[in-house]
Amino acid sequence: QPAGDISPDVSDSDSDGTSAPETFPEPPKDPLSLTSGNKCKYTVIRPETCSDAVKKLAVLVKNTIGEHIDGFVSIKEDFLYGSTKPEQYEILIGQTNRKESVDALEGLKYNDYCISIEGDKLVVTAYTEEKLTEAVNKLIEFINGSEGDISFTHEDQIFSNAEYERDEIKIGDISLK
């Protein structure tokens, strides 16, 4: 395993060694506490360059949390000035430039979406606006169903995988994955 990789290495190799090892993220020890009392320590982050629909989805998340706590929730674009680093606590909406969004998208296909925990960040992403809207609606449903403080656990994550006609496309024996 690479240095710093705490993911367990699980391998289902046959005796000929043809299977590649799979890694699974380690579940977080504590839930993400999005709110505490009437405060939200998380900032909603959206892509700097995105459609009006994605902007509205980010504002919807911000407003829903704000209404839940009857307080202020910050929202920003993903642009970082100079050597500015991302905030520790972020709710990433859409295809942001954050590593956590990029990593989450790598595990998705075109018609999939996810609401996942990546470190201290909550990632809500998809390749299409339609699927991102579905993901945000699921998150809004979760927030509205929360009583008191909003905490998001590993068990609350949603990975929606669409049905695909073909699992893998090959040219000869070469996979196009």
Side-chain angles (χ1 to χ4, degrees):
Q1 290 183 14
D5 183 2
I6 60 171
S7 301
D9 188 9
V10 179
S11 181
D12 269 342
S13 291
D14 293 332
S15 59
D16 66 357
T18 56
S19 296
E22 291 184 52
T23 57
F24 300 94
E26 188 171 300
K29 295 175 180 73
D30 298 316
L32 297 184
S33 296
L34 302 180
T35 64
S36 179
N38 284 356
K39 294 192 179 344
C40 179
K41 68 180 177 180
Y42 278 75
T43 300
V44 176
I45 303 291
R46 68 160 178 85
E48 177 187 17
T49 305
C50 63
S51 68
D52 287 343
V54 173
K55 290 176 187 175
K56 288 177 184 176
L57 291 171
V59 169
L60 179 61
V61 171
K62 171 199 178 300
N63 290 344
T64 302
I65 296 171
E67 289 167 8
H68 185 83
I69 63 171
D70 197 25
F72 178 76
V73 179
S74 181
I75 187 170
K76 295 181 180 176
E77 296 175 348
D78 63 356
F79 183 78
L80 297 172
Y81 299 94
S83 62
T84 306
K85 295 187 190 275
E87 295 180 32
Q88 181 175 356
Y89 303 109
E90 297 178 324
I91 300 171
L92 306 174
I93 306 295
Q95 297 181 34
T96 72
N97 65 4
R98 302 294 195 265
K99 179 185 183 320
E100 294 83 358
S101 290
V102 172
D103 290 348
L105 278 168
E106 283 181 8
L108 300 178
K109 293 182 181 176
Y110 187 74
N111 287 316
D112 300 344
Y113 70 80
C114 73
I115 305 171
S116 65
I117 296 172
E118 301 286 336
D120 287 325
K121 299 184 189 311
L122 183 63
V123 179
V124 183
T125 195
Y127 283 104
T128 68
E129 285 180 10
E130 176 186 357
K131 294 301 176 181
L132 182 60
T133 300
E134 286 182 33
V136 166
N137 286 336
K138 287 286 186 188
L139 179 61
I140 298 302
E141 204 176 286
F142 176 83
I143 293 166
N144 288 335
S146 299
E147 293 186 24
D149 293 338
I150 303 169
S151 291
F152 199 87
T153 67
H154 180 71
E155 290 78 26
D156 296 320
Q157 297 181 108
I158 298 173
F159 297 90
S160 175
N161 299 330
E163 296 282 325
Y164 293 92
E165 194 172 310
R166 291 179 179 83
D167 189 40
E168 183 176 17
I169 298 175
K170 292 182 177 183
I171 296 179
D173 290 333
I174 301 171
S175 173
L176 296 180
K177 280 187 174 181

